[in-house]
Coordinates of all heavy atoms in Angstrom, one line a residue:
M1 N 20.1 31.7 -16.6 CA 19.8 30.7 -17.5 C 20.2 29.3 -17.0 O 21.3 29.2 -16.4 CB 20.6 31.0 -18.8 CG 20.4 29.9 -19.9 SD 21.4 30.4 -21.3 CE 20.3 29.9 -22.5
T2 N 19.4 28.4 -17.1 CA 19.7 27.1 -16.6 C 20.3 26.2 -17.7 O 20.0 26.4 -18.9 CB 18.5 26.4 -16.0 OG1 17.5 26.2 -17.0 CG2 17.9 27.2 -14.8
T3 N 21.1 25.3 -17.3 CA 21.6 24.3 -18.3 C 21.2 22.9 -17.9 O 20.9 22.6 -16.8 CB 23.2 24.4 -18.3 OG1 23.7 24.0 -17.0 CG2 23.7 25.8 -18.7
K4 N 21.1 22.1 -18.9 CA 20.7 20.8 -18.6 C 21.8 19.9 -18.2 O 23.0 20.2 -18.5 CB 20.0 20.1 -19.9 CG 20.8 20.1 -21.1 CD 20.0 19.5 -22.2 CE 20.9 19.4 -23.5 NZ 20.2 18.8 -24.6
P5 N 21.6 18.9 -17.4 CA 22.7 18.1 -16.8 C 23.4 17.4 -17.9 O 22.9 17.0 -19.0 CB 22.0 17.1 -15.9 CG 20.5 17.3 -16.1 CD 20.3 18.5 -16.9
E6 N 24.7 17.2 -17.7 CA 25.5 16.5 -18.7 C 26.1 15.2 -18.0 O 26.4 15.2 -16.8 CB 26.7 17.4 -19.1 CG 26.2 18.6 -19.9 CD 27.4 19.6 -20.2 OE1 28.5 19.1 -20.2 OE2 27.1 20.7 -20.6
L7 N 26.3 14.2 -18.8 CA 26.9 13.0 -18.4 C 28.4 13.2 -18.2 O 29.1 13.7 -19.0 CB 26.7 11.9 -19.4 CG 27.2 10.5 -19.1 CD1 26.6 10.0 -17.8 CD2 27.1 9.6 -20.2
Q8 N 28.9 12.9 -17.0 CA 30.3 13.0 -16.7 C 31.0 11.8 -17.1 O 30.8 10.7 -16.6 CB 30.5 13.2 -15.2 CG 31.9 13.5 -14.8 CD 32.1 13.7 -13.3 OE1 31.1 13.6 -12.6 NE2 33.3 13.9 -12.9
T9 N 31.9 11.9 -18.1 CA 32.6 10.8 -18.7 C 34.1 10.8 -18.3 O 34.8 9.9 -18.6 CB 32.5 10.8 -20.2 OG1 33.0 12.1 -20.7 CG2 31.1 10.6 -20.7
E10 N 34.5 11.8 -17.5 CA 35.8 11.9 -17.1 C 36.0 10.9 -15.9 O 35.1 10.8 -15.1 CB 36.2 13.3 -16.7 CG 36.1 14.3 -17.8 CD 35.6 15.6 -17.3 OE1 35.5 15.8 -16.1 OE2 35.3 16.5 -18.1
G11 N 37.1 10.4 -15.7 CA 37.4 9.5 -14.6 C 37.9 8.2 -15.0 O 38.1 7.9 -16.2
S12 N 38.0 7.3 -14.0 CA 38.6 6.0 -14.3 C 37.5 5.0 -14.6 O 36.4 5.0 -13.9 CB 39.4 5.6 -13.1 OG 39.8 4.2 -13.2
F13 N 37.7 4.1 -15.5 CA 36.8 3.0 -15.8 C 37.0 1.8 -15.0 O 36.3 0.8 -15.1 CB 36.8 2.7 -17.3 CG 36.2 3.7 -18.2 CD1 37.0 4.6 -18.9 CD2 34.8 3.9 -18.3 CE1 36.5 5.6 -19.7 CE2 34.3 4.9 -19.0 CZ 35.1 5.7 -19.8
V14 N 38.0 1.9 -14.1 CA 38.4 0.8 -13.2 C 37.2 0.4 -12.3 O 36.9 -0.7 -12.1 CB 39.6 1.1 -12.4 CG1 40.0 -0.1 -11.4 CG2 40.8 1.3 -13.4
A15 N 36.5 1.5 -11.7 CA 35.4 1.2 -10.8 C 34.3 0.5 -11.6 O 33.6 -0.4 -11.0 CB 34.9 2.5 -10.2
G16 N 34.0 0.9 -12.8 CA 33.0 0.3 -13.6 C 33.3 -1.2 -13.9 O 32.4 -2.1 -13.8
L17 N 34.5 -1.4 -14.3 CA 35.0 -2.8 -14.5 C 34.9 -3.7 -13.3 O 34.5 -4.8 -13.3 CB 36.4 -2.8 -15.1 CG 36.5 -2.3 -16.5 CD1 38.0 -2.2 -16.9 CD2 35.7 -3.1 -17.5
A18 N 35.3 -3.1 -12.1 CA 35.2 -3.8 -10.8 C 33.7 -4.2 -10.5 O 33.4 -5.3 -10.0 CB 35.8 -3.0 -9.7
A19 N 32.8 -3.2 -10.8 CA 31.4 -3.5 -10.5 C 30.9 -4.6 -11.4 O 30.1 -5.5 -11.0 CB 30.6 -2.2 -10.7
I20 N 31.3 -4.6 -12.7 CA 30.8 -5.7 -13.6 C 31.4 -7.0 -13.2 O 30.7 -8.0 -13.2 CB 31.2 -5.3 -15.1 CG1 30.4 -4.1 -15.5 CG2 31.0 -6.5 -16.0 CD1 30.8 -3.5 -16.8
A21 N 32.7 -7.0 -12.8 CA 33.3 -8.3 -12.3 C 32.6 -8.8 -11.1 O 32.4 -10.0 -11.0 CB 34.8 -8.0 -12.1
L22 N 32.3 -7.9 -10.2 CA 31.6 -8.4 -9.0 C 30.2 -8.9 -9.3 O 29.8 -9.9 -8.8 CB 31.4 -7.2 -8.0 CG 30.7 -7.5 -6.7 CD1 31.5 -8.5 -5.9 CD2 30.5 -6.2 -5.9
F23 N 29.5 -8.3 -10.2 CA 28.2 -8.8 -10.7 C 28.3 -10.2 -11.3 O 27.5 -11.1 -11.0 CB 27.6 -7.8 -11.7 CG 26.3 -8.3 -12.2 CD1 25.1 -8.1 -11.5 CD2 26.1 -8.8 -13.5 CE1 23.9 -8.5 -11.9 CE2 24.9 -9.3 -14.0 CZ 23.8 -9.1 -13.2
V24 N 29.3 -10.4 -12.1 CA 29.5 -11.7 -12.7 C 29.9 -12.8 -11.7 O 29.3 -13.9 -11.7 CB 30.7 -11.6 -13.8 CG1 31.1 -13.0 -14.3 CG2 30.2 -10.8 -15.0
V25 N 30.7 -12.4 -10.7 CA 31.1 -13.4 -9.7 C 29.8 -13.7 -8.8 O 29.6 -14.9 -8.5 CB 32.2 -12.8 -8.8 CG1 32.4 -13.7 -7.5 CG2 33.5 -12.8 -9.6
L26 N 29.1 -12.7 -8.4 CA 27.9 -13.0 -7.6 C 26.9 -13.8 -8.4 O 26.2 -14.7 -7.8 CB 27.3 -11.7 -7.0 CG 28.1 -11.0 -6.0 CD1 27.5 -9.7 -5.5 CD2 28.3 -11.9 -4.8
G27 N 26.7 -13.5 -9.7 CA 25.8 -14.2 -10.5 C 26.1 -15.7 -10.6 O 25.3 -16.6 -10.5
A28 N 27.4 -16.0 -10.8 CA 27.9 -17.3 -10.9 C 27.7 -18.1 -9.5 O 27.3 -19.3 -9.5 CB 29.4 -17.4 -11.2
V29 N 27.9 -17.4 -8.4 CA 27.7 -18.0 -7.1 C 26.2 -18.3 -6.9 O 25.9 -19.4 -6.5 CB 28.2 -17.1 -6.0 CG1 27.7 -17.6 -4.6 CG2 29.7 -17.0 -6.0
F30 N 25.3 -17.4 -7.2 CA 23.9 -17.6 -7.0 C 23.3 -18.7 -8.0 O 22.4 -19.4 -7.6 CB 23.1 -16.3 -7.2 CG 23.3 -15.4 -6.1 CD1 23.5 -14.0 -6.3 CD2 23.4 -15.8 -4.7 CE1 23.7 -13.1 -5.3 CE2 23.6 -14.9 -3.7 CZ 23.8 -13.6 -4.0
I31 N 23.8 -18.8 -9.2 CA 23.4 -19.8 -10.1 C 23.9 -21.2 -9.7 O 23.2 -22.2 -9.8 CB 23.8 -19.4 -11.5 CG1 23.0 -18.2 -12.0 CG2 23.6 -20.6 -12.5 CD1 23.4 -17.7 -13.4
G32 N 25.1 -21.2 -9.2 CA 25.7 -22.5 -8.9 C 25.3 -23.1 -7.5 O 25.7 -24.2 -7.2
V33 N 24.6 -22.4 -6.7 CA 24.3 -22.8 -5.3 C 23.2 -23.8 -5.4 O 22.3 -23.8 -6.2 CB 24.0 -21.6 -4.4 CG1 22.6 -21.1 -4.7 CG2 24.1 -22.0 -3.0
S34 N 23.3 -24.8 -4.5 CA 22.2 -25.8 -4.4 C 21.7 -25.8 -2.9 O 22.5 -25.8 -2.0 CB 22.6 -27.2 -4.8 OG 23.7 -27.6 -3.9
F35 N 20.4 -25.9 -2.8 CA 19.8 -25.9 -1.4 C 19.3 -27.3 -1.1 O 18.8 -28.0 -2.1 CB 18.7 -24.9 -1.3 CG 19.1 -23.4 -1.4 CD1 19.0 -22.7 -2.6 CD2 19.8 -22.8 -0.4 CE1 19.4 -21.4 -2.7 CE2 20.2 -21.5 -0.5 CZ 20.0 -20.8 -1.6
P36 N 19.3 -27.7 0.1 CA 18.7 -29.0 0.4 C 17.1 -28.9 0.3 O 16.6 -27.8 0.2 CB 19.1 -29.2 1.9 CG 19.3 -27.9 2.4 CD 19.8 -27.0 1.3
A37 N 16.5 -30.1 0.3 CA 15.1 -30.1 0.2 C 14.5 -29.5 1.5 O 15.0 -29.6 2.6 CB 14.6 -31.5 0.1
P38 N 13.4 -28.7 1.3 CA 12.8 -28.1 2.5 C 12.2 -29.1 3.4 O 11.6 -30.1 3.0 CB 11.7 -27.2 1.9 CG 11.4 -27.7 0.5 CD 12.7 -28.4 0.1
A39 N 12.5 -28.9 4.7 CA 12.0 -29.7 5.7 C 11.0 -28.9 6.6 O 11.4 -27.9 7.2 CB 13.1 -30.3 6.6
G40 N 9.8 -29.3 6.7 CA 8.8 -28.6 7.5 C 8.6 -29.3 8.9 O 9.3 -30.2 9.3
F41 N 7.5 -28.9 9.5 CA 7.1 -29.5 10.7 C 6.2 -30.7 10.4 O 5.6 -30.8 9.4 CB 6.4 -28.5 11.7 CG 7.3 -27.4 12.1 CD1 7.1 -26.1 11.5 CD2 8.3 -27.6 13.0 CE1 7.9 -25.1 11.9 CE2 9.2 -26.6 13.3 CZ 9.0 -25.3 12.8
G42 N 6.1 -31.6 11.4 CA 5.3 -32.8 11.2 C 3.8 -32.4 11.1 O 3.4 -31.3 11.4
E43 N 3.0 -33.4 10.7 CA 1.5 -33.2 10.5 C 0.9 -32.9 11.9 O 1.2 -33.6 12.9 CB 0.9 -34.4 9.9 CG -0.5 -34.3 9.6 CD -0.8 -33.3 8.5 OE1 0.0 -33.2 7.6 OE2 -1.9 -32.7 8.5
G44 N 0.2 -31.9 12.0 CA -0.5 -31.6 13.3 C 0.4 -30.9 14.3 O 0.0 -30.8 15.5
A45 N 1.5 -30.4 13.9 CA 2.4 -29.7 14.8 C 1.7 -28.4 15.3 O 1.1 -27.6 14.5 CB 3.7 -29.4 14.1
S46 N 1.8 -28.1 16.5 CA 1.2 -26.9 17.1 C 2.3 -25.9 17.4 O 2.8 -25.8 18.5 CB 0.4 -27.3 18.4 OG -0.2 -26.1 18.9
I47 N 2.6 -25.0 16.4 CA 3.7 -24.1 16.6 C 3.3 -22.9 17.5 O 4.1 -22.5 18.3 CB 4.0 -23.5 15.2 CG1 4.5 -24.7 14.3 CG2 5.1 -22.4 15.3 CD1 4.7 -24.3 12.8
T48 N 2.0 -22.5 17.4 CA 1.6 -21.3 18.2 C 1.6 -21.7 19.7 O 2.1 -20.9 20.6 CB 0.2 -20.9 17.8 OG1 0.2 -20.6 16.4 CG2 -0.2 -19.6 18.5
K49 N 1.1 -22.8 20.0 CA 1.0 -23.3 21.5 C 2.4 -23.5 22.0 O 2.8 -23.2 23.1 CB 0.2 -24.5 21.6 CG -1.3 -24.2 21.5 CD -2.1 -25.4 21.9 CE -3.6 -25.1 21.8 NZ -4.5 -26.2 22.1
S50 N 3.3 -24.1 21.1 CA 4.7 -24.3 21.5 C 5.4 -23.0 21.8 O 6.2 -22.9 22.7 CB 5.4 -25.2 20.5 OG 4.8 -26.4 20.3
L51 N 5.2 -22.0 21.0 CA 5.8 -20.7 21.1 C 5.3 -20.1 22.4 O 6.1 -19.5 23.2 CB 5.5 -19.8 19.9 CG 6.1 -18.4 19.9 CD1 7.6 -18.6 19.9 CD2 5.6 -17.7 18.7
G52 N 4.0 -20.2 22.7 CA 3.5 -19.6 24.0 C 4.1 -20.3 25.2 O 4.4 -19.7 26.2
A53 N 4.2 -21.6 25.1 CA 4.8 -22.4 26.2 C 6.3 -22.0 26.4 O 6.8 -21.8 27.5 CB 4.8 -23.9 25.9
A54 N 7.0 -21.7 25.3 CA 8.4 -21.3 25.4 C 8.5 -19.9 26.0 O 9.4 -19.6 26.8 CB 9.1 -21.3 24.0
M55 N 7.5 -19.0 25.7 CA 7.6 -17.7 26.2 C 7.4 -17.7 27.8 O 8.0 -16.9 28.5 CB 6.5 -16.8 25.6 CG 6.8 -16.4 24.2 SD 5.5 -15.4 23.5 CE 5.4 -14.0 24.5
F56 N 6.6 -18.5 28.3 CA 6.3 -18.6 29.7 C 7.0 -19.7 30.4 O 6.7 -20.0 31.5 CB 4.8 -18.7 29.9 CG 4.0 -17.5 29.4 CD1 3.2 -17.5 28.3 CD2 4.2 -16.3 30.1 CE1 2.6 -16.4 27.9 CE2 3.5 -15.2 29.7 CZ 2.7 -15.2 28.6
D57 N 8.0 -20.3 29.8 CA 8.9 -21.3 30.3 C 8.1 -22.5 30.9 O 8.3 -22.9 32.0 CB 9.8 -20.7 31.4 CG 11.0 -21.6 31.7 OD1 11.3 -22.4 30.9 OD2 11.5 -21.5 32.9
I58 N 7.2 -22.9 30.1 CA 6.3 -24.1 30.4 C 6.8 -25.2 29.5 O 7.1 -25.0 28.3 CB 4.8 -23.8 30.2 CG1 4.4 -22.7 31.0 CG2 4.0 -25.1 30.4 CD1 3.0 -22.2 30.7
E59 N 6.8 -26.4 30.0 CA 7.2 -27.6 29.2 C 6.1 -27.7 28.1 O 4.9 -27.9 28.3 CB 7.2 -28.8 30.0 CG 7.6 -30.1 29.3 CD 9.0 -30.0 28.8 OE1 9.9 -29.4 29.5 OE2 9.3 -30.5 27.7
P60 N 6.5 -27.7 26.8 CA 5.6 -27.7 25.7 C 4.8 -29.0 25.7 O 3.6 -29.0 25.3 CB 6.4 -27.6 24.4 CG 7.7 -27.0 24.9 CD 7.9 -27.4 26.3
G61 N 5.3 -30.1 26.1 CA 4.6 -31.3 26.1 C 3.4 -31.3 27.0 O 2.4 -32.1 26.8
L62 N 3.4 -30.5 28.0 CA 2.2 -30.4 28.9 C 1.0 -29.7 28.3 O -0.1 -30.0 28.6 CB 2.6 -29.5 30.2 CG 3.7 -30.1 31.1 CD1 4.0 -29.2 32.2 CD2 3.2 -31.5 31.7
L63 N 1.3 -28.8 27.3 CA 0.2 -28.1 26.6 C -0.3 -28.9 25.4 O -1.5 -28.9 25.1 CB 0.6 -26.7 26.2 CG 0.9 -25.7 27.4 CD1 1.3 -24.4 26.8 CD2 -0.4 -25.5 28.2
V64 N 0.6 -29.4 24.6 CA 0.2 -29.9 23.3 C 0.5 -31.4 23.1 O 0.2 -31.9 22.1 CB 0.8 -29.1 22.2 CG1 0.2 -27.7 22.1 CG2 2.3 -29.0 22.3
G65 N 1.2 -32.0 24.0 CA 1.5 -33.4 23.9 C 2.5 -33.7 22.9 O 3.6 -33.1 22.8
D66 N 2.2 -34.6 22.0 CA 3.2 -35.0 20.9 C 3.3 -34.0 19.8 O 4.3 -34.1 19.0 CB 2.7 -36.4 20.3 CG 2.8 -37.5 21.3 OD1 3.6 -37.4 22.3 OD2 2.1 -38.5 21.1
A67 N 2.4 -33.0 19.7 CA 2.5 -32.0 18.6 C 3.4 -30.9 19.0 O 3.4 -29.9 18.3 CB 1.1 -31.5 18.4
A68 N 4.2 -31.0 20.1 CA 5.1 -29.9 20.5 C 6.2 -29.7 19.5 O 6.7 -30.7 18.9 CB 5.6 -30.2 21.9
V69 N 6.6 -28.5 19.3 CA 7.7 -28.1 18.4 C 8.7 -27.3 19.3 O 8.3 -26.5 20.1 CB 7.2 -27.2 17.3 CG1 8.3 -26.7 16.4 CG2 6.2 -27.9 16.5
P70 N 10.0 -27.6 19.1 CA 11.0 -26.8 19.9 C 11.0 -25.3 19.3 O 11.4 -25.0 18.2 CB 12.4 -27.4 19.6 CG 12.1 -28.3 18.4 CD 10.7 -28.6 18.3
A71 N 10.4 -24.4 20.1 CA 10.1 -23.0 19.6 C 11.0 -22.0 20.2 O 10.8 -20.8 20.0 CB 8.7 -22.7 19.9
E72 N 12.0 -22.4 21.0 CA 12.9 -21.3 21.6 C 13.6 -20.5 20.5 O 13.9 -19.3 20.8 CB 13.9 -22.0 22.5 CG 13.4 -22.5 23.8 CD 12.7 -23.9 23.7 OE1 12.9 -24.5 22.6 OE2 12.0 -24.3 24.6
G73 N 13.9 -21.1 19.4 CA 14.6 -20.4 18.3 C 13.7 -19.3 17.7 O 14.2 -18.4 17.1
F74 N 12.4 -19.4 17.9 CA 11.5 -18.4 17.3 C 11.3 -17.2 18.2 O 10.8 -16.2 17.8 CB 10.1 -19.0 17.0 CG 10.1 -20.1 16.0 CD1 9.7 -21.4 16.3 CD2 10.5 -19.8 14.7 CE1 9.7 -22.4 15.4 CE2 10.5 -20.8 13.8 CZ 10.1 -22.1 14.1
L75 N 11.7 -17.3 19.5 CA 11.4 -16.2 20.4 C 11.9 -14.9 20.1 O 11.2 -13.9 20.2 CB 11.8 -16.6 21.8 CG 10.9 -17.7 22.5 CD1 11.5 -18.0 23.9 CD2 9.5 -17.2 22.6
V76 N 13.2 -14.8 19.7 CA 13.8 -13.5 19.4 C 13.1 -12.8 18.2 O 12.7 -11.6 18.3 CB 15.3 -13.7 19.1 CG1 15.9 -12.4 18.6 CG2 16.0 -14.2 20.3
A77 N 12.8 -13.6 17.2 CA 12.1 -13.0 16.0 C 10.7 -12.6 16.4 O 10.3 -11.5 16.0 CB 12.1 -14.0 14.9
F78 N 10.0 -13.4 17.2 CA 8.7 -13.1 17.6 C 8.7 -11.8 18.4 O 7.8 -10.9 18.2 CB 8.1 -14.2 18.4 CG 6.7 -14.0 18.9 CD1 5.7 -14.2 18.0 CD2 6.5 -13.7 20.2 CE1 4.4 -14.1 18.4 CE2 5.2 -13.5 20.6 CZ 4.1 -13.7 19.7
I79 N 9.6 -11.6 19.3 CA 9.6 -10.4 20.2 C 10.1 -9.2 19.4 O 9.5 -8.1 19.6 CB 10.6 -10.7 21.4 CG1 9.9 -11.7 22.3 CG2 10.8 -9.4 22.2 CD1 10.8 -12.2 23.4
L80 N 11.0 -9.3 18.5 CA 11.4 -8.2 17.6 C 10.2 -7.7 16.7 O 10.0 -6.5 16.6 CB 12.6 -8.5 16.8 CG 13.9 -8.7 17.5 CD1 15.0 -9.1 16.6 CD2 14.3 -7.3 18.2
I81 N 9.5 -8.6 16.2 CA 8.3 -8.3 15.4 C 7.3 -7.6 16.2 O 6.7 -6.6 15.8 CB 7.7 -9.5 14.7 CG1 8.7 -10.0 13.6 CG2 6.4 -9.2 14.1 CD1 8.4 -11.3 13.0
A82 N 7.1 -8.1 17.5 CA 6.1 -7.4 18.4 C 6.5 -6.0 18.7 O 5.7 -5.1 18.8 CB 6.0 -8.3 19.6
I83 N 7.8 -5.8 18.9 CA 8.3 -4.4 19.3 C 8.1 -3.5 18.1 O 7.7 -2.4 18.2 CB 9.8 -4.5 19.7 CG1 9.8 -5.2 21.1 CG2 10.4 -3.1 19.8 CD1 11.2 -5.5 21.6
A84 N 8.5 -4.0 16.9 CA 8.3 -3.2 15.7 C 6.9 -2.8 15.4 O 6.5 -1.7 15.1 CB 8.9 -3.9 14.5
L85 N 5.9 -3.8 15.6 CA 4.5 -3.5 15.4 C 4.0 -2.5 16.5 O 3.2 -1.6 16.2 CB 3.7 -4.8 15.4 CG 3.9 -5.6 14.2 CD1 3.1 -7.0 14.3 CD2 3.4 -4.9 12.9
D86 N 4.5 -2.6 17.7 CA 4.1 -1.7 18.8 C 4.6 -0.3 18.5 O 3.8 0.7 18.6 CB 4.6 -2.2 20.1 CG 4.1 -1.4 21.2 OD1 3.0 -1.0 21.2 OD2 4.9 -1.1 22.2
A87 N 5.8 -0.2 18.0 CA 6.3 1.1 17.6 C 5.6 1.8 16.5 O 5.3 3.0 16.5 CB 7.8 1.0 17.3
A88 N 5.2 0.9 15.5 CA 4.4 1.4 14.4 C 3.0 1.9 14.8 O 2.5 3.0 14.4 CB 4.2 0.4 13.3
L89 N 2.4 1.2 15.8 CA 1.1 1.6 16.3 C 1.2 2.9 17.1 O 0.4 3.8 17.0 CB 0.5 0.5 17.2 CG -0.9 0.7 17.8 CD1 -1.9 0.9 16.7 CD2 -1.3 -0.4 18.7
D90 N 2.2 3.0 17.9 CA 2.4 4.2 18.7 C 2.7 5.4 17.8 O 2.1 6.5 18.0 CB 3.6 4.1 19.6 CG 3.4 3.1 20.8 OD1 2.2 2.7 21.0 OD2 4.3 2.6 21.4
G91 N 3.4 5.2 16.7 CA 3.7 6.3 15.8 C 2.4 6.7 15.0 O 2.2 7.9 14.8
A92 N 1.6 5.7 14.7 CA 0.3 6.0 14.0 C -0.6 6.8 14.9 O -1.3 7.8 14.5 CB -0.4 4.8 13.5
L93 N -0.7 6.4 16.2 CA -1.5 7.2 17.1 C -1.0 8.6 17.4 O -1.8 9.5 17.5 CB -1.6 6.4 18.5 CG -2.4 5.1 18.4 CD1 -2.3 4.4 19.8 CD2 -3.8 5.4 18.1
M94 N 0.3 8.7 17.4 CA 0.9 10.1 17.6 C 0.6 11.0 16.4 O 0.3 12.1 16.6 CB 2.4 10.0 17.8 CG 3.1 11.3 18.1 SD 4.9 11.2 18.1 CE 5.3 10.9 16.4
L95 N 0.7 10.4 15.2 CA 0.4 11.2 14.0 C -1.1 11.5 13.9 O -1.5 12.6 13.3 CB 0.9 10.5 12.8 CG 2.4 10.4 12.6 CD1 2.7 9.5 11.4 CD2 3.0 11.8 12.4
A96 N -1.9 10.7 14.4 CA -3.4 10.8 14.2 C -4.0 11.8 15.3 O -5.1 12.2 15.2 CB -4.1 9.5 14.2
K97 N -3.2 12.0 16.4 CA -3.7 12.8 17.5 C -3.9 14.2 17.0 O -3.0 14.8 16.4 CB -2.7 12.7 18.6 CG -3.2 13.5 19.8 CD -2.1 13.4 20.9 CE -2.6 14.3 22.1 NZ -1.5 14.4 23.1
R98 N -5.0 14.8 17.4 CA -5.3 16.2 17.0 C -4.8 17.1 18.1 O -4.8 16.8 19.3 CB -6.8 16.5 16.9 CG -7.3 15.7 15.7 CD -8.8 16.1 15.5 NE -9.3 15.3 14.4 CZ -10.2 15.8 13.5 NH1 -10.6 17.0 13.6 NH2 -10.6 15.0 12.6
D99 N -4.4 18.3 17.8 CA -4.0 19.3 18.8 C -5.2 19.9 19.4 O -6.3 19.9 18.8 CB -3.1 20.4 18.1 CG -1.8 19.9 17.6 OD1 -1.3 18.9 18.2 OD2 -1.2 20.5 16.7
D100 N -5.1 20.4 20.6 CA -6.2 21.0 21.3 C -6.7 22.3 20.6 O -7.8 22.6 20.5 CB -5.8 21.4 22.8 CG -5.6 20.1 23.6 OD1 -6.1 19.0 23.2 OD2 -4.9 20.2 24.6
E101 N -5.7 23.1 20.1 CA -6.1 24.4 19.5 C -5.9 24.2 18.0 O -4.8 23.9 17.5 CB -5.2 25.5 20.0 CG -5.5 26.8 19.4 CD -4.6 27.9 19.9 OE1 -4.3 27.9 21.1 OE2 -4.2 28.8 19.1
E102 N -7.0 24.4 17.2 CA -6.8 24.3 15.8 C -6.2 25.5 15.2 O -6.6 26.6 15.5 CB -8.2 24.1 15.2 CG -8.8 22.7 15.5 CD -10.1 22.5 14.8 OE1 -10.4 23.3 13.8 OE2 -10.9 21.7 15.2
E103 N -5.1 25.3 14.5 CA -4.4 26.4 13.9 C -4.1 26.1 12.4 O -3.7 25.0 12.1 CB -3.1 26.6 14.6 CG -2.2 27.7 14.1 CD -1.0 27.9 14.9 OE1 -1.1 28.1 16.1 OE2 0.1 27.9 14.3
T104 N -4.5 27.0 11.5 CA -4.3 26.8 10.1 C -3.4 27.9 9.6 O -3.3 29.0 10.1 CB -5.7 26.9 9.4 OG1 -6.3 28.1 9.6 CG2 -6.6 25.7 9.8
V105 N -2.7 27.5 8.6 CA -1.8 28.5 7.9 C -2.5 29.2 6.8 O -3.1 28.5 6.0 CB -0.5 27.8 7.4 CG1 0.4 28.7 6.7 CG2 0.2 27.1 8.5
V106 N -2.4 30.5 6.8 CA -3.1 31.3 5.8 C -2.1 31.5 4.6 O -0.9 31.5 4.8 CB -3.5 32.6 6.3 CG1 -4.3 33.5 5.3 CG2 -4.4 32.4 7.6
A107 N -2.6 31.7 3.4 CA -1.8 31.8 2.2 C -0.7 32.9 2.3 O 0.3 32.9 1.7 CB -2.6 32.0 1.0
D108 N -1.0 34.0 3.1 CA -0.1 35.1 3.1 C 1.0 34.9 4.1 O 1.8 35.7 4.4 CB -0.8 36.4 3.4 CG -1.4 36.4 4.8 OD1 -1.4 35.4 5.5 OD2 -2.0 37.5 5.2
G109 N 1.1 33.7 4.7 CA 2.2 33.4 5.7 C 1.8 33.5 7.1 O 2.5 33.1 8.0
G110 N 0.6 34.1 7.4 CA 0.2 34.3 8.7 C -0.5 33.0 9.2 O -0.6 32.0 8.6
T111 N -1.1 33.1 10.4 CA -1.9 32.0 11.0 C -3.2 32.5 11.4 O -3.5 33.6 11.6 CB -1.2 31.4 12.2 OG1 -1.0 32.4 13.2 CG2 0.2 30.8 11.9
H112 N -4.2 31.5 11.4 CA -5.5 31.8 11.7 C -5.9 30.8 12.8 O -5.8 29.6 12.6 CB -6.4 31.7 10.5 CG -7.9 31.9 10.8 ND1 -8.4 33.1 11.1 CD2 -8.9 31.0 10.8 CE1 -9.7 32.9 11.3 NE2 -10.0 31.7 11.1
H113 N -6.4 31.3 13.9 CA -6.8 30.5 15.0 C -8.3 30.2 15.0 O -9.1 31.1 15.2 CB -6.5 31.1 16.4 CG -5.0 31.3 16.5 ND1 -4.1 30.3 16.8 CD2 -4.2 32.4 16.4 CE1 -2.9 30.8 16.9 NE2 -2.9 32.1 16.6
G114 N -8.7 29.0 14.6 CA -10.1 28.6 14.7 C -11.2 29.7 14.7 O -10.9 30.8 14.9
G115 N -12.4 29.4 14.5 CA -13.5 30.4 14.6 C -14.0 30.9 13.3 O -13.9 30.2 12.3
D116 N -14.5 32.1 13.2 CA -15.0 32.7 12.0 C -13.9 32.9 11.0 O -12.8 33.1 11.3 CB -15.8 34.0 12.3 CG -17.0 33.8 13.1 OD1 -17.5 32.6 13.1 OD2 -17.5 34.8 13.8
D117 N -14.3 33.0 9.7 CA -13.4 33.3 8.7 C -13.4 34.8 8.3 O -13.0 35.1 7.2 CB -13.8 32.5 7.4 CG -13.6 31.0 7.6 OD1 -12.7 30.7 8.4 OD2 -14.2 30.2 6.9
S118 N -13.8 35.6 9.2 CA -13.8 37.0 9.0 C -12.5 37.7 9.2 O -11.6 37.2 9.8 CB -14.9 37.7 9.8 OG -14.7 37.4 11.2

């Protein structure tokens, strides 16, 4: 016979009070914080070309002139995203690859190797 789960009320309420106190403190910090006004890139800034120039150690001013953006800070994030996407693509190809020999599992626990259903 199975029994339904019961709420465990034994134990210390100190952990619950600590969690509530932490929630209140973090809520007060998040509500009271102020951020500066967002600052973007100038009009006509060429971020992509500047990133490409930084990857190949080319002076960005040679490619884009005055629209160059200092892009060295973006390189680590750009390369990490490229590695993550490459790993996802490799995993998708590995999962999509078919085996040479088709093998199906039969309901009685045995296996059936391709061909007729007889």
